[in-house]
Amino acid sequence: MTRAQRSSPRRILSPLQDFLHDEAAGGIALVVAAVVAVVWANSAFSDAYGTFWHHELTLGWGQAAITEDLQHWVNDGLMAIFFFVVGLEIKRELVVGELRDPRAAALPAIGAVGGVVVPALIFLALASGPERAGWGIPMATDIAFAVGVLALLGKRVPAGAKLLLLTAAIVDDIIAIAVIAIFYTDSVSFAWLAGAVAGLVAVVLLRRLGVHAIWPYVLVGVVVWVCTLESGVHATIAGVALGLLTPTGQVGGRDVLHTLEHRLHPVTAFVVVPLFALANAGVDFRGGLLGQAMGASLTWAIALGLVVGKVVGISAAVWLCVRTGSGRLPEGVRALHVLGVAAVAGIGFTVSLFIAELAYADAALVATAKVGIFTGSLLAAVIGVAVMLLAGRGQRATDATDTSGSTTSESTSAGGLGDPGSPGTRGTGNPGGDGAGSGRAHR
């Protein structure tokens, strides 16, 4: 085997390991930001929370100026960077990752589809009236939170289970992005949309012309973002499209995709997503909101969609995939691990909050939806951890039994091949031996 062949798997695994490490650590930053937001919104300074995030900021000059409040600059602007990184991750998985092998990708992809359809159906069955507009809320999986939860369990979770969760979550992201683009766009200006498409074509042309400098792509990317924002399609879709157009492999002597992902992923994990949580997770539970929300059908439509929908949808889809031979479980992954991954996938924090803001214009419905997201995500995390601990305990018991059986078998084999005159063996030199010697030798 050549050095290049030996290093190829390492080149593929290194970005994945970096990704998992950043997501696990970023999950902690996300939790801290969410807690700060909730405490701030329920403190004596709660008015300042709303005032700060609704403070307007204008960027640009004259007709080219864009005015948004700080919350929308985070949701429409900074989150475009987050979705750009998501686009990079999807491109990497499609080209050099798990999704490049149709058979290996089939199981997590089918599982992800089940984990999207069943939660949406549960939501629609429980919600009513204007609430039903939020059917996309329980579809999403928060990769940072979910990977962070598994990271807390350390070696109790096999690498295959983490890979299953990561791959399924990426397919989940693809579906969520399509849902946002198609179903959560109010009206579309085709002139601005044509401008965004022209910008994407310009990116392709720059690549064909061999332009390796970063700044022309950044300028065109800003134009694509502005055109997408003005078109009525959510601006974050521009980030995904630009990420998918990023080339893989060596360009101008460097791996552009890996470089961008390596540099931007920590920014999104430790700055963008925590800022998003800080701007959107601040729900004031005082004044009876929590009690009202717990009695609202919307809360439980979201919570049960995230918890029951993900567990049933992903587990059933994976079971069906394995039974029909359409896919195979990763090495070391058992049925309980699949249940644990399905439960953890019910942590739908970031994208669920994002869709809730898009789905409802009524602030009361948004607040109730956030309570449902908090409730469902917390339950999903607790159930997922419990199932994974149970799976790890069962795996250790199985390994211990296998080791014991293997040692006994080796002792017996050693006795059978031993000196015919040895006591306690089954050799012909000890016709009276009853085999108990092998048991004593093992003890």
Side-chain angles (χ1 to χ4, degrees):
M1 182 181 291
T2 67
R3 182 178 299 177
Q5 289 172 322
R6 287 194 301 269
S7 63
S8 179
R10 192 173 302 170
R11 288 199 303 269
I12 294 173
L13 287 175
S14 180
L16 177 62
Q17 291 165 346
D18 291 344
F19 174 84
L20 289 171
H21 178 268
D22 285 343
E23 287 291 356
I28 298 173
L30 179 57
V31 170
V32 171
V35 170
V36 169
V38 171
V39 171
W40 186 0
N42 290 272
S43 70
F45 306 99
S46 58
D47 289 342
Y49 179 85
T51 302
F52 176 78
W53 289 111
H54 289 99
H55 178 76
E56 289 190 343
L57 174 66
T58 299
L59 295 181
W61 299 271
Q63 296 296 320
I66 299 176
T67 300
E68 299 274 5
D69 63 29
L70 293 181
Q71 185 186 45
H72 281 90
W73 275 116
V74 171
N75 293 358
D76 296 341
L78 291 182
M79 285 298 283
I81 302 174
F82 166 78
F83 279 101
F84 175 69
V85 175
V86 170
L88 294 176
E89 292 158 3
I90 293 171
K91 182 68 173 283
R92 170 170 53 79
E93 288 297 313
L94 288 171
V95 177
V96 299
E98 280 293 301
L99 296 180
R100 80 186 191 283
D101 179 2
R103 184 167 170 77
L107 186 132
I110 293 172
V113 172
V116 164
V117 172
V118 177
L121 292 176
I122 290 177
F123 179 91
L124 290 172
L126 298 177
S128 60
E131 299 173 350
R132 295 167 73 91
W135 60 271
I137 296 172
M139 293 169 49
T141 294
D142 191 305
I143 300 180
F145 255 142
V147 171
V149 167
L150 293 189
L152 293 175
L153 299 177
K155 294 183 179 179
R156 296 182 184 90
V157 181
K162 296 176 183 177
L163 187 60
L164 174 61
L165 172 65
L166 179 61
T167 310
I170 288 174
V171 176
D172 187 294
D173 279 344
I174 296 173
I175 299 172
I177 289 163
V179 167
I180 291 170
I182 297 171
F183 297 101
Y184 290 104
T185 296
D186 294 330
S187 59
V188 177
S189 168
F190 289 99
W192 282 106
L193 190 59
V197 172
L200 296 176
V201 172
V203 170
V204 175
L205 290 176
L206 287 172
R207 283 179 51 188
R208 294 288 179 87
L209 292 172
V211 177
H212 298 154
I214 295 294
W215 66 266
Y217 295 95
V218 173
L219 290 178
V220 175
V222 171
V223 171
V224 171
W225 178 82
V226 171
C227 290
T228 306
L229 177 69
E230 297 295 338
S231 73
V233 176
H234 202 273
T236 53
I237 302 301
V240 178
L242 291 168
L244 290 174
L245 287 177
T246 303
T248 57
Q250 297 292 318
V251 178
R254 60 182 172 178
D255 189 335
V256 177
L257 190 146
H258 176 67
T259 300
L260 287 172
E261 193 174 10
H262 184 73
R263 291 180 179 177
L264 291 178
H265 200 283
V267 175
T268 60
F270 297 109
V271 178
V272 175
V273 174
L275 272 176
F276 173 82
L278 191 60
N280 293 275
V283 179
D284 190 346
F285 294 112
R286 298 169 299 177
L289 172 63
L290 188 59
Q292 293 171 6
M294 285 303 173
S297 60
L298 176 59
T299 302
W300 296 106
I302 293 172
L304 293 178
L306 287 171
V307 178
V308 178
K310 287 291 185 180
V311 170
V312 173
I314 293 177
S315 300
V318 168
W319 176 84
L320 184 63
C321 189
V322 172
R323 290 283 292 181
T324 58
S326 301
R328 60 180 184 273
L329 287 173
E331 185 178 354
V333 175
R334 298 161 55 236
L336 274 179
H337 292 128
V338 174
L339 282 174
V341 165
V344 170
I347 303 174
F349 195 77
T350 303
V351 180
S352 292
L353 288 175
F354 191 79
I355 295 177
E357 292 284 349
L358 297 176
Y360 303 123
D362 186 343
L365 286 179
V366 173
T368 302
K370 289 180 180 180
V371 174
I373 294 167
F374 292 160
T375 303
S377 297
L378 181 59
L379 288 173
V382 171
I383 294 170
V385 168
V387 173
M388 280 300 184
L389 288 175
L390 184 62
R393 186 178 303 171
Q395 185 65 48
R396 287 194 299 273
T398 301
D399 292 343
T401 302
D402 291 344
T403 301
S404 175
S406 175
T407 306
T408 302
S409 175
E410 289 172 3
S411 289
T412 303
S413 298
L417 294 172
D419 181 50
S422 300
T425 65
R426 296 189 181 183
T428 56
N430 185 15
D434 58 2
S438 65
R440 287 193 295 271
H442 175 59
R443 287 198 295 270

